Each structure stands twice: as C-alpha cells, then as structure tokens.
Amino acid sequence: MSDPVNTAPARPTAKSISLNLLRQWHWVSSALCLVGMILFAVTGITLNNAAHIPAEPVVTTVETELSPGLLSLMEDRDEGPLPLAVREWLRQNHDLDIPASDAEWDGSEVYLGLPRPGGDAWLSIDLEYGELMYERTDRGTVSFLNDLHKGRNTGTAWSWFLDVFSITCLVFSLSGMWLLVRYARTRPGTWPMVTLGVVIPLLVIVLSIH
C-alpha cells in the first residue's frame, strides 16, 4: 500500500507574507490618492502655464445701507466678528454668506477680508452712516483648482487633507520603489528607467536654472 500523498497547502513564509502586505499597501494607497494625483498633475500644468490660460474675472458688488437698529448692534465694539443679526440680514436680503470671522474695527469703520480659493472678497461698513460695501471677485474654475493645489485660502480641513494626501503618496511611492527592488532581477529595464528619472530633472536644474 502506497503512502498517502500530502495535499496540504504549503505554509506561507515570512517573505511571502511581507510581499503580500507590501502589495496591499501599494494598491490601497494608489486607490486612495488616484483622483488627487490626477487633480494635482492637471493643476501642475495649469499653474506652470498660467500666463497662457485666459481668465476673465467676474466682479460682484453690493452697496447698501444698514438700518439704525442693525447699526446700533455694532456700537462700542472693537474686536470680533460682525453681529449675527447683521450677517443674517445680509444673507436674507443680499444672498451674502458672511462667516463669523474676526473683523478689523477702528472706531469709524469695520473691515472684513474674505479671501477664498479662485477669488477674493471684502466687506466694509461705515459705522457712522451705516453705508456698507461688499465686493467679490471670481477668477474662474482654473484659478479655483490652482488655489486648491497651493492650499491658498482653503481653510483648515483642506490643509489637513493635503497632509494626509501627501503621506498617502509617500506610501504609494515608497512601496512602489520596494516592489521595483523586488522584481528588478526579472525586469532589466528597471534601474535604467529609475536612473533616467533622477538624472533628467538634475540635468534640467544644472543646465537651465541659475
């Protein structure tokens, strides 16, 4: 009687486990940062060629006058945001969404800068006569996306996203580099291509940037 054949699967080695884990990190990080990398690649091109991309700024202006009741809410103030009642009045009557950001008070006027990605805005109120002026400039979608790329006037949440996105890109790149090392023996073109990726930008820096 012959000995039974051992059909039990081979136990995975530590090397194969680490390699599988590395592959997991690589594809998960690539999935997480895929859309962001496309966005940042496209906006890298638009930023580099900003002078050649036409943009027509659109300026919106609101000039109005506050009632004595609303104006009285700002008496004796020297810091802090605009009163909630004033911000609600602007939202309901002029469709202006004014945040509760600290304004600049100088006794006779209050000024509130409202920087935003892809544009700018500001509001000023004459505290003696109640005259209010608001101006918003929109520079278009390309400018908006460019400011997202730079993190310009995008707020805390987007700043955190940029940090997390950068870490994810590092995980993607470093895991990809280790996979290159792992499979370089069977792919002779690996290190020549990696070398080109290092040498080309260095040559551009040395030869053209002074």
Side-chain angles (χ1 to χ4, degrees), residues 105-173:
W105 305 75
D106 68 359
S108 61
E109 181 186 51
V110 56
Y111 175 86
L112 179 61
L114 300 165
R116 51 199 294 272
D120 199 5
W122 57 270
L123 178 148
S124 70
I125 302 173
D126 187 309
L127 295 176
E128 184 176 356
Y129 300 104
E131 296 173 350
L132 180 147
M133 177 171 283
Y134 170 88
E135 183 176 285
R136 183 179 69 238
T137 303
D138 292 305
R139 299 186 179 90
T141 302
V142 173
S143 179
F144 176 80
L145 294 176
N146 286 347
D147 283 347
L148 289 183
H149 184 112
K150 296 182 289 186
R152 176 180 178 270
N153 302 323
T154 51
T156 303
W158 185 257
S159 178
W160 275 100
F161 169 79
L162 290 179
D163 289 339
V164 174
F165 171 73
S166 298
I167 293 171
T168 306
C169 287
L170 281 173
V171 172
F172 171 68
S173 300

Side-chain angles (χ1 to χ4, degrees), residues 2-15:
S2 59
D3 294 334
V5 178
N6 184 8
T7 58
R11 296 182 62 182
T13 64
K15 185 176 181 179

Side-chain angles (χ1 to χ4, degrees), residues 25-41 149 160-178:
W25 285 3
H26 189 65
W27 82 260
V28 169
S29 60
S30 68
L32 289 174
C33 65
L34 173 63
V35 174
M37 289 181 73
I38 293 173
L39 171 65
F40 278 79
H149 184 112
W160 275 100
F161 169 79
L162 290 179
D163 289 339
V164 174
F165 171 73
S166 298
I167 293 171
T168 306
C169 287
L170 281 173
V171 172
F172 171 68
S173 300
L174 293 175
S175 60
M177 183 176 67
W178 184 247

Side-chain angles (χ1 to χ4, degrees), residues 173-190:
S173 300
L174 293 175
S175 60
M177 183 176 67
W178 184 247
L179 287 172
L180 286 178
V181 173
R182 175 65 178 78
Y183 292 109
R185 292 181 181 178
T186 59
R187 297 172 184 174
T190 296

